[in-house]
Amino acid sequence: MNTEARRRPVVNLALQGGGAHGAFTWGVLDRLLEDGRLEFEAISGTSAGAMNAVAMAHGLLAGGRDGARAALEKFWTAIAGSMPLSVAGGADGRTFAFGPAFQAMLGWANQFSPGQLNPFDLNPLRDVVTAQIDFERLRAGPLRLFIATTNANSGKLRLFRQSELSAEVILASACLPTIHRAIQIDGESYWDGGYAANPAVFPLFYECRSPDILLVLLAPLKHAATPHSAQDIRERMLEFAFTATFLREMRMFAHMRDYVKHSFLPLGRIERRVARTHFHVIDSQDQLGELHAESKLAANLMFFLALRELGRARADAWLAAHFEKVGRASSIEIGELFY
């Protein structure tokens, strides 16, 4: 590693899931890679966050930062082209329209099991992942990866580390149980990791060296309005189910930092680690929260590109405002955000 690379600050990334809204994270990563001033030690990802994680890691191995940017673009372009039933008409997430077949499938998902709806277990994501990601090479690469899944029979988090990664792990992390069959790995059944961790932050704290953790969030931390219709209430409840564990984990970190700050006793190893951990957040400032919930299923390239540009803009603003704090201090106060 040359002198310039050694001087770059190192961050760990925590990438939330959120279906098609993960294209926002694509934009964030694209801008960070383009900027080139940060190094990356590890990525913890769930669902769409897991997809972004492995695409970026694969690209870094194949061609450095430019390779990672190209891999992310290739991945999201392929996702848009692999979903023939999802025909989104607008790029803003508000005017999209699904085709009749896709609308019918969404309705049937409330009445039939995935095995009945999809007896041949067709999954376009499997084709994209297996075609584009070299998992054997990824398992031996330098970037540490943590991919969250949920055990379908216990509800417990199963965190797959880099040496365990496969296409099935990524499919498990993104497995919506009303649409896809549970993914079988080592005799166990797994669903979307968002139910257990969206994303898991603790491995970046306990298993990594860098003190800086950058959270890329898709779900708003607070909504502007209370839902009233039955459909809006169901959608808000589902969103809370996917963020509850993350919010609880971040609240734990906030309590730990508060405890260390006011402790008069000598600090132990964990307390010292807490004291020197820096948190950062890039989010959409609720622009994603204003989109219709079904836009998370809108596999449309124009929509993806619009979200990518939003992500790039938010990452650019964060770099301008907070880059100098990386390695030195947090750019957010987690107690204010997560208490």
Side-chain angles (χ1 to χ4, degrees):
M1 184 180 292
N2 60 38
T3 302
E4 181 183 356
R6 285 198 299 268
R7 291 175 179 170
R8 294 190 187 113
V10 180
V11 299
N12 294 311
L13 299 172
L15 310 181
Q16 266 191 346
H21 291 185
F24 171 85
T25 303
W26 165 26
V28 170
L29 299 177
D30 185 71
R31 182 67 188 96
L32 296 179
L33 290 162
E34 180 185 54
D35 180 77
R37 287 179 291 170
L38 293 173
E39 291 290 334
F40 307 99
E41 178 187 4
I43 307 177
S44 178
T46 297
S47 194
M51 299 178 211
N52 278 312
V54 295
M56 175 174 163
H58 171 84
L60 285 170
L61 286 171
R65 295 171 187 274
D66 289 340
R69 296 181 66 197
L72 285 161
E73 181 174 9
K74 181 179 179 182
F75 185 87
W76 283 97
T77 301
I79 291 295
S82 69
M83 306 291 184
L85 296 179
S86 178
V87 183
D92 60 1
R94 297 178 177 84
T95 60
F96 70 90
F98 292 120
F102 194 85
Q103 290 178 335
M105 188 198 74
L106 291 178
W108 294 336
N110 294 321
Q111 305 295 327
F112 300 98
S113 71
Q116 293 171 314
L117 280 176
N118 187 6
F120 298 105
D121 197 23
L122 301 176
N123 188 342
L125 179 59
R126 177 181 281 109
D127 297 333
V128 174
V129 170
T130 55
Q132 296 198 16
I133 308 299
D134 184 345
F135 284 96
E136 182 176 358
R137 188 178 182 187
L138 204 62
R139 289 190 291 268
L143 188 62
R144 305 185 68 179
L145 299 171
F146 305 95
I147 304 302
T149 66
T150 304
N151 188 298
N153 294 314
S154 69
K156 294 180 180 179
L157 169 68
R158 169 70 189 276
L159 198 65
F160 288 88
R161 288 163 175 80
Q162 181 179 349
S163 62
E164 306 170 291
L165 292 187
S166 67
E168 295 306 300
V169 169
I170 304 306
L171 294 175
S173 187
C175 177
L176 293 175
T178 58
I179 297 177
H180 298 295
R181 297 182 188 182
I183 302 297
Q184 299 294 314
I185 303 174
D186 298 330
E188 295 285 349
S189 300
Y190 294 97
W191 284 344
D192 195 300
Y195 293 109
N198 192 23
V201 180
F202 68 88
L204 304 178
F205 175 83
Y206 287 107
E207 301 183 34
C208 298
R209 293 173 60 87
S210 171
D212 288 82
I213 299 175
L214 172 56
L215 310 169
V216 182
L217 306 183
L218 303 181
L221 293 173
K222 185 175 182 179
H223 291 272
T226 303
H228 296 290
S229 72
Q231 179 65 22
D232 289 344
I233 291 171
R234 284 193 295 269
E235 291 170 355
R236 182 69 58 82
M237 290 171 62
L238 180 61
E239 179 184 302
F240 285 170
F242 272 77
T243 58
T245 52
F246 166 72
L247 294 175
R248 187 160 51 246
E249 186 177 9
M250 292 307 300
R251 191 176 301 117
M252 178 200 69
F253 280 116
H255 281 299
M256 290 170 64
R257 290 172 71 87
D258 190 58
Y259 171 80
V260 169
K261 181 179 179 181
H262 294 94
S263 176
F264 297 101
L265 300 174
L267 299 182
R269 179 186 174 191
I270 294 297
E271 288 85 356
R272 290 195 300 271
R273 173 67 175 172
V274 170
R276 74 182 189 94
T277 297
H278 310 139
F279 287 97
H280 313 275
V281 168
I282 298 177
D283 63 6
S284 71
Q285 295 189 333
D286 205 30
Q287 292 186 59
L288 293 180
E290 295 174 355
L291 301 180
H292 195 284
E294 288 185 350
S295 66
K296 295 177 181 178
L297 301 175
N300 172 270
L301 185 58
M302 291 298 295
F303 183 42
F304 288 169
L305 292 175
L307 293 185
R308 183 192 67 175
E309 292 309 304
L310 175 60
R312 282 180 55 84
R314 293 295 303 132
D316 194 58
W318 180 83
L319 286 167
H322 302 300
F323 174 79
E324 295 302 325
K325 294 181 181 178
V326 179
R328 297 179 175 87
S330 294
S331 58
I332 59 163
E333 176 49 61
I334 61 172
E336 296 178 1
L337 286 180
F338 298 107
Y339 268 149

